[in-house]
Amino acid sequence: SQTIHQWPATLVQPVGSPLSLECTVEGTSNPNLYWYRQAAGRGLQLLFYSVGIGQISSEVPQNLSASRPQDRQFILSSKKLLLSDSGFYLCAWSNSDGGKNIQYFGAGTRLSVL
Amino acid sequence: GNSVTQMEGPVTLSEEAFLTINCTYTATGYPSLFWYVQYPGEGLQLLLKATKADDKGSNKGFEATYRKETTSFHLEKGSVQVSDSAVYFCALSLKAAGNKLTFGGGTRVLVKP
């Protein structure tokens, strides 16, 4: 069966520090991968998605970047965090063939920038 | 563009009450529709889905019917439990748009004993 792992679960970082959040998927190959952010009390915003290694699409301009160094690994990064980067970050995957159009989510990382 | 609008919360109910969360959508094309649920401190889980008009998705006592004529996908449950307290997200996806999900703003539901 397929599983998705995100870490860390929680993170407290000072303003101006770097960020690296990791997401890995097991039990499938060539998945579509997604990073979402959920700001406090708000809905989800798609940040990045990837259809293959090295292929990243950015949905909104921001202080963050994403990379996909391996087929089932998706990394969210920042060189210098801003206060506004605080939020709940969710990674998700879906089958690349469209399948049933279902996305499966990780447990999320709660980031607090102080 | 594509968008999803759902009723704002919080919705506070007593146990065994009837729950309805309204969801309407705008899409260029024929989307698939979803309800996801987020329990406190957790990620999102797929609750139910429908892929074509008049389909009814159902799971854990929740139901939603894909209404193309009213572009709606309202979520209902006849008798809620305290364990149903969560945030519920309506979403759509279009194959032509790479199956990216467009979410509504979420509706927080609190069920009191």
Side-chain angles (χ1 to χ4, degrees), chain B residues 26-50:
Chain B
T26 302
T28 53
Y30 205 162
S32 294
L33 301 173
F34 307 84
W35 277 100
Y36 280 83
V37 59
Q38 184 180 32
Y39 297 105
E42 299 183 11
L44 274 70
Q45 302 174 25
L46 178 66
L47 182 58
L48 52 84
K49 69 178 183 69

Side-chain angles (χ1 to χ4, degrees), chain A residues 88-111:
Chain A
F88 192 47
Y89 289 84
L90 289 158
C91 181
W93 72 273
S94 67
N95 286 310
S96 57
D97 63 358
K100 300 176 181 178
N101 295 357
I102 297 172
Q103 290 186 20
Y104 302 91
F105 286 79
T109 296
R110 188 164 302 283
L111 172 66

